Amino acid sequence: MKINLLLLFGAFLFLFSSCENAPGIAKPGKLDPLPYYDVSGFIEAEIAKMDEERVTKSTRINGKEESLEVSLSQEEWREELDAFIRADINKPSLVSSYTTELQGDILIHRLKPGAKNSVQEIRVRIIDDRPIWLTFKVAKESMFYTSYVLGEVYMNQRTQKIDHYGIETTQKIWFLSPNNMRVKGAVLP
């Protein structure tokens, strides 16, 4: 009995080690391509270029609007654009949850019917292998709560940095009035 178990274990080890460089298995130092557009990677790369950039920022909360000019550190940019980072769909559990199509120069990822995730759609316009703009739609619904988030970021083709962005959120809790918040920012030259 013990000999059979040892032989089985040895055969398993042999098979496991012989598959190390087999085709289709990721080798150390090489990453497999992501199945969907890398939204969080794109935003993180843009944040790295944006330290202490001045921004004209307008916020609207339930109809009350305010505008101000601020300089944002990279950490503040990360907080400002966090909705984009959280909208990334490159997770192993979502690998077959989206359709991908190309309409002209616009790449579109849409949640398949019946698939479970809050990110409903991501659109990226790509020209000469560079993103021109990116948008996303998020929807969360339950019996007592609904939440919708729309985000958009546009690139300045001259500076190759973020030009302007917007994030709008609507939340509705059962029996309460909906809350609507919008943040828009335009990077100053």
Side-chain angles (χ1 to χ4, degrees), residues 4 7 14 27 36 50 54 60-61 69 72 77 82 84 91 102 109 136-138 160 178 183:
N4 287 341
L7 286 173
F14 173 77
K27 295 173 179 71
Y36 307 114
M50 302 294 285
R54 291 179 333 163
R60 183 186 71 208
I61 299 174
E69 188 177 305
L72 300 176
W77 274 109
D82 183 59
F84 289 91
K91 297 175 178 106
L102 196 58
H109 300 302
F136 71 87
K137 295 177 187 177
V138 171
Q160 297 300 309
V183 175

Side-chain angles (χ1 to χ4, degrees), residues 8-20 22 25:
L8 184 62
F9 181 72
F12 174 75
L13 266 170
F14 173 77
L15 289 173
F16 182 75
S17 64
S18 68
C19 293
E20 185 175 334
I25 296 176

Side-chain angles (χ1 to χ4, degrees), residues 31-171:
L31 298 176
D32 288 336
L34 298 173
Y36 307 114
Y37 189 80
D38 186 11
V39 175
S40 66
F42 167 68
I43 293 297
E44 288 287 349
E46 293 308 311
I47 288 171
K49 301 178 200 174
M50 302 294 285
D51 196 25
E52 298 301 325
E53 295 287 334
R54 291 179 333 163
V55 180
T56 300
K57 184 175 166 180
S58 68
T59 57
R60 183 186 71 208
I61 299 174
N62 293 328
K64 184 180 177 186
E65 195 156 341
E66 293 181 14
S67 290
L68 66 142
E69 188 177 305
V70 294
S71 291
L72 300 176
S73 67
Q74 286 186 354
E75 190 56 41
E76 290 167 322
W77 274 109
R78 199 165 276 105
E79 290 173 21
E80 188 79 3
L81 301 175
D82 183 59
F84 289 91
I85 295 169
R86 287 186 286 122
D88 192 62
I89 57 175
N90 284 301
K91 297 175 178 106
S93 61
L94 300 174
V95 76
S96 62
S97 298
Y98 289 84
T99 62
T100 299
E101 64 182 274
L102 196 58
Q103 290 181 356
D105 54 9
I106 300 172
L107 176 67
I108 303 167
H109 300 302
R110 281 196 190 99
L111 188 65
K112 290 179 180 177
K116 303 282 187 220
N117 195 30
S118 59
V119 179
Q120 303 296 306
E121 181 180 89
I122 293 174
R123 290 177 176 250
V124 186
R125 183 170 185 211
I126 300 171
I127 297 178
D128 295 330
D129 293 328
R130 291 194 314 244
I132 304 299
W133 54 258
L134 180 143
T135 65
F136 71 87
K137 295 177 187 177
V138 171
K140 297 178 185 175
E141 296 182 10
S142 72
M143 203 164 109
F144 303 105
Y145 174 83
T146 58
S147 172
Y148 301 100
V149 181
L150 304 172
E152 56 189 12
V153 65
Y154 296 86
M155 301 301 294
N156 181 319
Q157 295 307 298
R158 185 179 53 78
T159 64
Q160 297 300 309
K161 292 183 179 181
I162 293 174
D163 184 69
H164 61 281
Y165 62 93
I167 301 166
E168 186 165 356
T169 302
T170 303
Q171 298 174 337

